[in-house]
């Protein structure tokens, strides 16, 4: 993990700056310390304002407490590798050219790259902005404000303050080796992040696209996914809200609080585990869709409204509690209620079971007819009375009757769910109803 002290020990040569700043402009290619590289003839020192339009070789390291450096051409290391330290609120570095440095430390001030920045190590406690290509970064520590607006190629980074990504964050060649967020991280709508190992222990909002292999939302982590998130394996030990799309190539473990809202979709290729073995506080709320390619295991609490659904292709196991009115679909169910392979816990009677698994669609469609749909208020089921229940989108039961028609004139416009059961309470039919 990147540490603050690592960047404080940069080998910098500290210069005494002028009482009156001088404006220097490069006159020819050459070394920074050569007076004939500049006009007027002299050597720029901290406090001066420098404009580079040629290829200038940095043959010393600088600590700038005030003044500006503007690179229109190139500023490159000599063979020793050089560092720049911005250490004052008025110290400013900007580049639309090519900059190659060993290390950058921004204690105070601002650094703006709009060209090509090649740097090994960066520590930011001020303002860092990348508007173009920032590459070759072994490590970056951010305890200030960092905005990436284009392309950041990096091996490892640690965010302890504010990081805004409008562009692409990826590895030196493919993916970031490791990233850790302990501050406020926002990935905006055009943002793309690719990483091998990622940990969030702060406030993370994804409005763009994220591709992670191993992802942990840690104890203090608050993660909100509003767009597209993919991973191989994920562990949630904090607070996670999904309003968008999640695709897992392998498995997901919820150890604390997870809310899959009505707009959220989750697809896992292998298995899902909801369990906290220490304090039994794992809670998963599903108001959206959750498709599992293999197995489902619940040891604590799962709930959800009637808009929520689980589907799984193999084993289903429950030794906790399952409450609410979500739909549960095991593709290989046991022959009797509840239709879950191993139930050692509690399952609320309001939970429904997928129609396709337990009752033939052709059979039920011939027995039950729900009309009109959409409706202004009156709904009919044919000539025969049925055990009818109606739920709103929050999973709250608003009608329960034995009848062949119901009246929803007193209810708001919107989406409702009609469930028909047999006399033992087993679901025979379920359909979404639209009230105009």
């Amino acid at each position: 993990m990147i540490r603050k002290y690592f960047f404080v020990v940069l080998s910098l040569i500290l210069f005494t700056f002028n009482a009156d700043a001088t404006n220097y402009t490069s006159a020819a290619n050459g070394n920074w310390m050569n007076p004939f590289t500049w006009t007027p003839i002299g050597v720029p020192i901290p406090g001066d304002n420098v404009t580079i339009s040629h290829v200038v070789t940095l043959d010393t390291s600088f600590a700038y407490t005030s003044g500006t450096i503007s690179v229109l051409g190139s500023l490159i290391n000599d063979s020793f590798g050089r560092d720049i330290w911005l250490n004052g609120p008025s110290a400013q570095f900007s580049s639309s050219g090519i900059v190659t440095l060993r290390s950058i430390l921004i204690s105070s001030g601002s650094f703006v790259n709009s060209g090509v920045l090649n740097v090994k190590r960066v520590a930011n406690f001020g303002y860092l902005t990348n508007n173009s290509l920032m590459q070759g970064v072994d490590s970056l520590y951010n305890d200030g404000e960092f905005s990436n607006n284009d392309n950041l190629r990096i091996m490892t980074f640690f965010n302890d303050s504010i990081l805004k990504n409008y562009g692409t964050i990826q590895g030196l060649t493919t993916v970031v080796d490791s990233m850790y967020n302990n501050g406020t991280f926002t990935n905006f709508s055009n943002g793309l992040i690719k990483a091998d190992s990622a940990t969030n222990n702060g406030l993370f909002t994804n409005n763009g696209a994220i591709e992670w292999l191993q992802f942990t939302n840690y104890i203090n982590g608050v993660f909100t996914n509003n767009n597209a998130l993919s991973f191989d394996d994920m562990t949630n030990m904090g607070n996670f809200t999904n309003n968008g799309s999640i695709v897992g190539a392998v498995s997901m473990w919820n150890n604390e609080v997870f809310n899959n809202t009505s707009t959220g979709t989750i697809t896992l290729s292998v298995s899902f585990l909801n369990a906290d073995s220490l304090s039994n506080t794992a809670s998963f709320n599903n108001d959206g869709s959750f498709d599992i390619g293999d197995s489902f295991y619940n040891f604590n609490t799962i709930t959800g409204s009637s808009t929520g659904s689980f589907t799984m292709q193999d084993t289903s196991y429950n030794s906790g509690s399952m409450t609410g009115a979500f739909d549960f679909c095991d593709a290989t169910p046991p022959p009797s209620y509840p239709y879950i392979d191993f139930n050692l816990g509690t399952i609320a009677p309001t939970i429904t079971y997928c129609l396709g698994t337990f009752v033939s669609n052709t059979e039920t469609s011939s027995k039950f007819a729900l009309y009109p749909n959409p409706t202004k208020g009156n709904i009919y089921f044919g000539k025969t009375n049925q055990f009818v229940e109606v739920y709103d989108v929050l999973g709250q039961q608003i009608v329960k009757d034995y009848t062949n028609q119901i009246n929803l004139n007193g209810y708001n416009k919107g989406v409702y769910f009609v469930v028909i059961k047999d006399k033992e309470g087993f679901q025979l039919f379920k359909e979404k109803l639209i009230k105009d």
Side-chain angles (χ1 to χ4, degrees), residues 270-385:
V270 185
S271 61
F272 168 67
L273 170 64
N274 184 63
D276 177 4
S277 59
L278 297 178
S279 54
N280 295 323
T281 57
S283 175
F284 192 97
N285 179 72
N286 183 30
D287 295 331
S289 66
F290 196 159
D291 296 324
I292 303 168
D294 197 325
S295 301
F296 165 99
Y297 301 95
N298 175 48
F299 291 85
N300 293 154
T301 302
I302 289 183
T303 187
S305 68
S306 58
T307 60
S309 66
F310 287 94
T311 62
M312 64 229 59
Q313 300 303 312
D314 198 355
T315 304
S316 56
Y317 174 93
N318 173 55
S319 63
S321 66
M322 296 168 59
T323 63
F326 59 83
D327 195 52
F328 190 84
C329 180
D330 185 339
T332 58
S336 60
Y337 176 89
Y339 301 103
I340 182 168
D341 292 327
F342 304 98
N343 179 42
L344 305 177
T346 59
I347 299 178
T350 51
I351 290 175
T352 59
Y353 300 89
C354 68
L355 180 64
T357 301
F358 310 116
V359 181
S360 166
N361 276 316
T362 55
E363 291 177 4
T364 56
S365 61
S366 63
K367 292 180 180 178
F368 307 115
L370 176 65
Y371 61 92
N373 188 12
T375 181
K376 298 294 184 181
N378 292 314
I379 304 102
Y380 302 92
F381 307 100
K383 298 180 180 180
T384 306
N385 287 350

Side-chain angles (χ1 to χ4, degrees), residues 129-141:
T129 303
N130 176 45
N131 294 323
S132 187
L133 176 60
M134 183 174 172
Q135 63 183 358
V137 186
D138 286 341
S139 58
L140 184 149
Y141 176 85

